[in-house]
Amino acid sequence: MAFMKKYLPPILGFFLAYYYYSANEEFRPEMLQGKKVIVTGASKGIGEQMAYHLAKMGAHVVVTARSKETLKKVVSHCLELGAASAHYIAGSMENMTFAEQFVAQAGKLMGGLDMLILNHITNTSMNLFSGDIHLVRRSMEVNFLSYVVLSVAALPMLKQSNGSIVVVSSKAGKMASPLVAPYSASKFALDGFFSSVRMEHSVTKVNVSITLCILGLINTDTAMKAVSGIINIDASPKEECALEIIKGGALRQEEVYYDNSVWTDLLLGNPGRKILEFLSLRSYSLDKFIN
């Protein structure tokens, strides 16, 4: 108890100050010039907008989604906007073999990889959970497991470039939300897995950053159709959301919060969790794993 009284307040104060007031390097579009970037789920919505932002910044871009015809249009527009190069590889992230092979093909097209942006999700709708195990399995495989497969395949290239993994998640992956239980489960899984791997990278000195992006309601066609008549809140613009995701990855931030509410970052950021994670490392004997 005496230890807690003596050391907890300054530790808490330090983490609060660091969490809320630490100054990140200012973002500059030229940070992405010439960078080699993969964007998944890029045929529409936030992924499409990220591809266009990256193109304007002069990046090399490889996009993927299921629709070949739509991806062709996205690539064409990327080239018009000034992309250093732009390619597409169509396929389904339900196929883990495709996911793994896609990264290798993208790396060959660009001659390496600097940033992997994981953005795709399986089709979902808002309903009470009725015991559909197939839906839970598909959500976990596409929204979570394929992200793991892609990141594992990309890690050797990202280690060479001291690159970044950007994981697009949701408020539903940080707080309980009705009507989206399978989707929410997959997003919570992203936080658990990638936050743990980020910690492992830190203790083992792997210079590959991991940015988890927690998004509120964004005005994509898919999201607006899903929430119509169910949720009555203003949606945030997909174009600005896409840019904030890219900024977070370029600045190697641990988490990015983008929502129309000023409370989201403050309440879901949870510095208490960061403190516990820091203190818990004292209980581990990690030397044998690091060596």
Side-chain angles (χ1 to χ4, degrees), residues 201-212:
H201 283 186
S202 177
V203 298
T204 57
K205 310 302 180 185
V206 173
N207 193 19
V208 175
S209 66
I210 296 178
T211 300
L212 185 69

Side-chain angles (χ1 to χ4, degrees), residues 1 23 44 47 52 60 82 90 106 119 151 170 214 239 252 261:
M1 184 62 70
K44 57 184 179 180
Y52 296 156
H60 298 272
N119 170 71
S151 63
S170 165
I214 297 90
E239 298 83 1
R252 305 174 76 85
S261 171

Side-chain angles (χ1 to χ4, degrees), residues 49 53 236-245 247 258-259:
Q49 296 304 316
H53 282 301
S236 301
K238 59 188 176 184
E239 298 83 1
E240 182 178 294
C241 176
L243 182 57
E244 291 304 309
I245 292 170
K247 286 181 180 180
Y258 185 78
D259 190 29

Side-chain angles (χ1 to χ4, degrees), residues 3 41 43 54 62 81 118 137 149 161 197 202 240:
F3 172 86
S43 63
L54 290 163
V62 174
L81 292 171
L118 302 171
R137 184 184 298 276
V149 171
S161 64
V197 172
S202 177
E240 182 178 294

Side-chain angles (χ1 to χ4, degrees), residues 166-240:
V166 180
V167 181
V168 177
S169 187
S170 165
K171 285 170 61 177
K174 285 280 190 180
M175 56 181 279
S177 305
L179 309 180
V180 290
Y183 171 83
S184 182
S186 66
K187 295 299 186 180
F188 266 92
L190 290 176
D191 187 0
F193 180 82
F194 283 100
S195 295
S196 295
V197 172
R198 185 196 299 120
M199 186 177 289
E200 292 179 2
H201 283 186
S202 177
V203 298
T204 57
K205 310 302 180 185
V206 173
N207 193 19
V208 175
S209 66
I210 296 178
T211 300
L212 185 69
C213 303
I214 297 90
L215 310 182
L217 181 61
I218 310 300
N219 68 350
T220 64
D221 293 341
T222 300
M224 291 296 92
K225 182 178 179 181
V227 304
S228 179
I230 300 173
I231 299 178
N232 300 311
I233 58 174
D234 294 330
S236 301
K238 59 188 176 184
E239 298 83 1
E240 182 178 294

Side-chain angles (χ1 to χ4, degrees), residues 9-291:
I11 291 173
L12 180 60
F14 170 79
F15 272 92
L16 287 172
Y18 174 81
Y19 190 81
Y20 290 111
Y21 302 111
S22 59
N24 287 308
E25 181 184 0
E26 184 178 351
F27 174 77
R28 304 181 309 281
E30 54 266 29
M31 288 177 171
L32 277 302
Q33 187 172 9
K35 296 297 185 182
K36 301 160 186 175
V37 186
I38 285 173
V39 183
T40 70
S43 63
K44 57 184 179 180
I46 299 169
E48 179 186 6
Q49 296 304 316
M50 283 193 283
Y52 296 156
H53 282 301
L54 290 163
K56 292 176 186 176
M57 297 172 192
H60 298 272
V61 183
V62 174
V63 295
T64 187
R66 289 171 295 181
S67 173
K68 179 185 289 188
E69 294 306 314
T70 308
L71 287 174
K72 284 182 181 178
K73 296 177 182 178
V74 172
V75 164
S76 177
H77 192 41
C78 283
L79 293 172
E80 292 172 358
L81 292 171
S85 68
H87 303 273
Y88 74 88
I89 302 172
S92 172
M93 291 300 172
E94 291 184 39
N95 183 339
M96 300 303 152
T97 300
F98 165 77
E100 185 174 10
Q101 293 175 347
F102 159 72
V103 173
Q105 293 171 8
K108 288 181 180 178
L109 286 170
M110 295 187 289
L113 182 63
D114 295 295
M115 184 179 290
L116 172 67
I117 302 180
L118 302 171
N119 170 71
H120 60 279
I121 58 171
T122 189
N123 293 330
T124 188
S125 59
M126 300 190 71
N127 288 295
L128 294 171
F129 181 62
S130 59
D132 188 345
I133 302 302
H134 176 71
L135 175 59
V136 176
R137 184 184 298 276
R138 188 175 76 243
S139 296
M140 292 300 294
E141 287 181 346
V142 176
N143 300 356
F144 169 63
L145 186 57
S146 70
Y147 280 42
V148 176
V149 171
L150 289 159
S151 63
V152 168
L155 191 57
M157 288 186 288
L158 293 173
K159 284 182 177 180
Q160 290 182 357
S161 64
N162 294 328
S164 304
I165 299 172
V166 180
V167 181
V168 177
S169 187
S170 165
K171 285 170 61 177
K174 285 280 190 180
M175 56 181 279
S177 305
L179 309 180
V180 290
Y183 171 83
S184 182
S186 66
K187 295 299 186 180
F188 266 92
L190 290 176
D191 187 0
F193 180 82
F194 283 100
S195 295
S196 295
V197 172
R198 185 196 299 120
M199 186 177 289
E200 292 179 2
H201 283 186
S202 177
V203 298
T204 57
K205 310 302 180 185
V206 173
N207 193 19
V208 175
S209 66
I210 296 178
T211 300
L212 185 69
C213 303
I214 297 90
L215 310 182
L217 181 61
I218 310 300
N219 68 350
T220 64
D221 293 341
T222 300
M224 291 296 92
K225 182 178 179 181
V227 304
S228 179
I230 300 173
I231 299 178
N232 300 311
I233 58 174
D234 294 330
S236 301
K238 59 188 176 184
E239 298 83 1
E240 182 178 294
C241 176
L243 182 57
E244 291 304 309
I245 292 170
I246 293 170
K247 286 181 180 180
L251 295 173
R252 305 174 76 85
Q253 295 175 349
E254 290 191 0
E255 291 187 343
V256 170
Y257 288 84
Y258 185 78
D259 190 29
N260 58 10
S261 171
V262 298
W263 294 103
T264 301
D265 188 359
L266 179 66
L267 297 179
L268 289 184
N270 194 358
R273 167 178 158 176
K274 301 296 182 185
I275 294 170
L276 286 173
E277 288 173 349
F278 173 78
L279 294 175
S280 72
L281 282 177
R282 300 175 60 189
S283 305
Y284 286 81
S285 298
L286 293 173
D287 288 346
K288 64 178 181 180
F289 297 104
I290 296 171
N291 293 334

